[in-house]
Amino acid sequence: MQTSTPIIDLHVHSTLKPFGNSFYPNNDRTVFTNSSCIWYNDQRTRSDLKFESLLGIARYRQSDFRSLTDGQVKIAFVSLYPVEKEFFMIRKKWMKFLEKFIGELASMFGKKRIDTIMAPDFNYFKDLCDEYAFLRCLDGQLADSRKYKLLDHAGHMASDANLLIIPSFEGCHALCDGNNPRLESAWENMEKNVKAVKDWSSPPLFVTFAHHFYNGLCTHARSLFDTAGSLLDQEYGMRDFNFTPKDAEAPINARGKKLIDLLLSKSNGRRILIDIKHMSREARITYYQMLMSAYKDEKIPVLCSHGALALEDQHEINLHPEDIMMIYRTGGLIGLEMDQRILGYNHKRFVKFVKSIFHPNKSAFDDAAYFFRQIIAIAEPCYRVDPAGDPWRCIALGSDYDGVINPLNHYPDAVSLSRLYQNLVVHLEQYWDEKGEIPRRHNGLDAADVIYRVMYGNAYDFIVENYRV
């Protein structure tokens, strides 16, 4: 039986806010009390709490390195993000003068950072490299008696660092030059840029292929809903349930397939795996077809670094049965996300928030149920197709903290993950008490063992298997 509670998070955006703040003059990213430092922690205030409950916007840091280490996170995949310029382009003409204000309100990137993104000479690939350099700036250095270390391969996981970091990035628009990935000229250096990333001293194990807007490579799933969906236009290249496409873009075009080959190739450096999050359902299926044809003789795991199964709705941003089976059969991973909307929490969200004020302990347990039912929704179909196998093996954590999400109320940041861990153990015991489909102690694992696998062990094994020189 496992008694410790170590955690691996497959997807956090720890650099987004401090990197944005570093664009202001006189901000020293090497001083841990400075807002441009990756260790800087700003505690959630009462006004933050009210703002979050009313608008669903979390205006505080959730995955700074202090919060990660306090929450017993041992390894974090920090997702770099050259922010798409469309993120700050409001579709309503009468609101154009509010673009920068609303963008800063939602993102906390800082107005100087937004100015840089919206400048005509903004270059996605250069920005990616700059954010990677930012991530490296305190690598191995003590900051208030703690330190982090960027991992270069699985053989170096034995370390005296408090936190190990593996970089990734979200959206392969990051590999084009300039800021318009629809232009052929923006991709002239694609092979060179991929090689440069593979030559990083700590290269990504995986990268997220698509993101919020059309990237000149593949169609994407709707990811912006409610207020954000009405303000921002992500419809070109977008696919979703009951949405009529407004373009004729291929699920994955020829350039996108070439880029996938470059990333998966071992002849130009280490293999970088493809994270399917944000790809449209048709693009995901096309990618699976590529793996089953061109790569049929190779073991290439499919993973979704942050997401959830489609339970309440059929939006393509969420995973569907064919995704679960492909991930399970290829030895991949699903990082479950802490976002309220993704987990189906948003129904009567404000009522739940008010109740949580008066019953905090019960509400923390209830909030964990949204995460736990995703675990079960993935594990049960895996058990049905492979009763003798390990139905838990493809499940992990991919919180998406600091990714402009609205986390579950009682799990607002990485510090709270150890509490989530403990509540998940109780939920699994309760599932077995209620005669759940997967038998108690299946394959000899008790509740603590299973949650250890979900929160740490599965991702650890995945790193050992795939993050190789």
Side-chain angles (χ1 to χ4, degrees):
M1 175 180 174
Q2 291 291 337
T3 56
S4 61
T5 58
I7 292 167
I8 295 176
D9 197 328
L10 291 180
H11 192 88
V12 293
H13 285 285
S14 306
T15 53
L16 272 183
K17 290 166 185 172
F19 182 56
N21 278 263
S22 73
F23 282 72
Y24 288 98
N26 303 319
N27 265 9
D28 189 344
R29 63 183 67 181
T30 66
V31 178
F32 71 90
T33 55
N34 194 292
S35 65
S36 64
C37 182
I38 205 165
W39 288 100
Y40 178 77
N41 174 263
D42 58 343
Q43 294 293 323
R44 186 168 64 156
T45 65
R46 287 188 177 183
S47 60
D48 288 335
L49 190 60
K50 292 176 182 176
F51 199 86
E52 185 179 1
S53 64
L54 291 172
L55 298 180
I57 298 174
R59 282 187 53 80
Y60 53 89
R61 300 188 189 197
Q62 302 152 359
S63 63
D64 59 274
F65 285 2
R66 179 176 294 275
S67 294
L68 288 172
T69 52
D70 283 349
Q72 298 192 56
V73 175
K74 305 302 182 185
I75 304 175
F77 288 77
V78 174
S79 184
L80 311 175
Y81 174 29
V83 183
E84 298 139 301
K85 64 179 182 179
E86 293 92 341
F87 200 85
F88 301 105
M89 297 169 64
I90 294 177
R91 70 164 89 195
K92 292 178 171 54
K93 292 183 179 179
W94 66 272
M95 295 183 69
K96 287 287 186 182
F97 73 101
L98 291 173
E99 281 180 335
K100 188 186 298 186
F101 172 78
I102 293 174
E104 159 60 14
L105 186 71
S107 69
M108 291 182 67
F109 294 163
K111 293 179 181 178
K112 292 288 186 182
R113 171 68 168 145
I114 296 173
D115 286 341
T116 301
I117 294 164
M118 297 307 295
D121 62 347
F122 184 58
N123 185 299
Y124 285 139
F125 184 67
K126 180 182 182 301
D127 195 69
L128 172 68
C129 295
D130 288 346
E131 192 173 352
Y132 174 68
F134 177 88
L135 177 62
R136 287 193 59 84
C137 72
L138 289 176
D139 182 26
Q141 299 182 37
L142 279 175
D144 194 27
S145 75
R146 311 184 201 198
K147 68 178 177 180
Y148 69 91
K149 184 67 181 171
L150 266 72
L151 195 61
D152 56 355
H153 62 83
H156 288 165
M157 284 196 285
S159 170
D160 63 348
N162 304 88
L163 179 65
L164 293 176
I165 299 297
I166 302 175
S168 64
F169 58 83
E170 190 161 18
C172 279
H173 65 282
L175 292 169
C176 81
D177 290 300
N179 53 52
N180 186 353
R182 297 193 205 180
L183 297 177
E184 185 67 33
S185 59
W187 295 98
E188 290 177 354
N189 293 321
M190 181 169 70
E191 292 187 41
K192 177 183 174 183
N193 292 347
V194 170
K195 182 66 167 63
V197 169
K198 289 191 173 190
D199 285 343
W200 285 354
S201 57
S202 298
L205 169 54
F206 59 80
V207 296
T208 313
F209 200 69
H211 207 193
H212 295 303
F213 303 94
Y214 184 65
N215 63 3
L217 304 167
C218 73
T219 55
H220 58 277
R222 182 197 298 272
S223 57
L224 303 175
F225 298 85
D226 304 323
T227 303
S230 65
L231 290 176
L232 304 177
D233 184 1
Q234 65 170 165
E235 292 182 358
Y236 188 89
M238 187 183 84
R239 304 292 182 264
D240 199 18
F241 179 69
N242 281 344
F243 173 77
T244 302
K246 299 185 177 181
D247 59 83
E249 297 291 348
I252 304 177
N253 63 24
R255 183 193 299 123
K257 291 178 180 178
K258 180 180 179 181
L259 179 56
I260 288 172
D261 287 337
L262 288 170
L263 291 167
L264 295 180
S265 175
K266 293 180 179 179
S267 64
N268 59 351
R270 284 198 238 172
R271 169 168 287 163
I272 296 178
L273 300 174
I274 305 298
D275 172 13
I276 64 171
K277 177 63 187 283
H278 289 290
M279 295 173 80
S280 67
R281 195 174 183 182
E282 65 179 15
R284 300 196 300 263
I285 291 171
T286 300
Y287 175 57
Y288 303 155
Q289 291 169 345
M290 289 180 65
L291 292 182
M292 291 184 289
S293 56
Y295 294 91
K296 64 180 184 298
D297 296 325
E298 298 189 58
K299 183 182 179 182
I300 299 179
V302 174
L303 78 151
C304 176
S305 69
H306 59 299
L309 188 61
L311 298 179
E312 274 75 31
D313 56 56
Q314 294 301 306
H315 287 303
E316 294 192 11
I317 191 71
N318 286 342
L319 298 173
H320 290 72
E322 71 269 15
D323 301 305
I324 303 301
M325 289 298 101
M326 192 68 183
I327 291 168
Y328 181 74
R329 286 169 176 155
T330 61
L333 281 181
I334 302 164
L336 291 175
E337 191 172 350
M338 296 300 292
D339 190 14
Q340 292 186 11
R341 184 191 61 77
I342 288 287
L343 295 177
Y345 181 93
N346 272 3
H347 181 61
K348 296 183 179 179
R349 178 169 58 85
F350 184 71
V351 173
K352 292 171 183 172
F353 166 72
V354 173
K355 287 182 178 179
S356 72
I357 297 174
F358 298 100
H359 304 284
N361 291 330
K362 181 178 184 299
S363 294
F365 183 74
D366 291 345
D367 278 5
Y370 289 91
F371 193 95
F372 178 74
R373 68 177 183 155
Q374 288 287 334
I375 294 175
I376 296 303
I378 295 167
E380 285 184 342
C382 294
Y383 174 73
R384 289 179 207 127
V385 301
D386 186 16
D390 179 2
W392 319 102
R393 75 180 186 211
C394 67
I395 310 170
L397 168 72
S399 69
D400 201 17
Y401 280 140
D402 281 314
V404 198
I405 67 165
N406 182 22
L408 293 167
N409 289 333
H410 284 85
Y411 305 99
D413 52 34
V415 178
S416 60
L417 288 174
S418 53
R419 176 197 276 185
L420 173 68
Y421 192 124
Q422 299 294 352
N423 277 324
L424 291 175
V425 173
V426 180
H427 273 292
L428 182 53
E429 290 284 10
Q430 191 176 87
Y431 167 83
W432 280 331
D433 288 343
E434 296 169 358
K435 310 300 181 186
E437 180 178 349
I438 302 172
R440 188 188 294 270
R441 293 191 63 84
H442 178 62
N443 287 337
L445 301 177
D446 64 15
D449 295 329
V450 170
I451 302 306
Y452 172 86
R453 296 287 304 278
V454 168
M455 298 295 280
Y456 182 80
N458 291 336
Y460 185 92
D461 292 345
F462 187 85
I463 295 168
V464 171
E465 178 71 21
N466 296 287
Y467 198 45
R468 297 177 175 178
V469 177

